[in-house]
Amino acid sequence: MAHVIVKHTVKDYGAWKPVFDADATRRRNAGCKSEQVYRDADNPDAITVLLEFGSHDQAHAFANDPGLAEAMRKGGVISQPDVSYLNAGE
């Protein structure tokens, strides 16, 4: 399993969330097995998304998919995303 953490700020969470939800099929087709969305307690438009993929190759391919960039633009992402790829500690 591969996990990806994406942190970014959106213009308006209420506008971003429906775009994120509508992109679920593309995430699943890319190998995403689950996702969790968190909002910063002090800035509710600062979003952290935790994604789980079957492999690091799938995670990297998804992160580089032009469709992701388009969905982020449509959702009103206003900051450069901070992306981290994680391995489970063993």
Side-chain angles (χ1 to χ4, degrees), residues 38-50:
Y38 300 92
R39 298 171 77 182
D40 186 279
D42 295 322
N43 178 2
D45 291 325
I47 308 299
T48 299
V49 181
L50 174 61

Side-chain angles (χ1 to χ4, degrees), residues 25-62:
T25 299
R26 195 175 61 75
R27 285 193 301 276
R28 294 284 177 259
N29 289 341
C32 184
K33 299 182 177 297
S34 69
E35 66 269 333
Q36 298 174 344
V37 175
Y38 300 92
R39 298 171 77 182
D40 186 279
D42 295 322
N43 178 2
D45 291 325
I47 308 299
T48 299
V49 181
L50 174 61
L51 304 165
E52 179 183 349
F53 287 86
S55 72
H56 282 279
D57 288 343
Q58 289 175 328
H60 283 280
F62 175 76

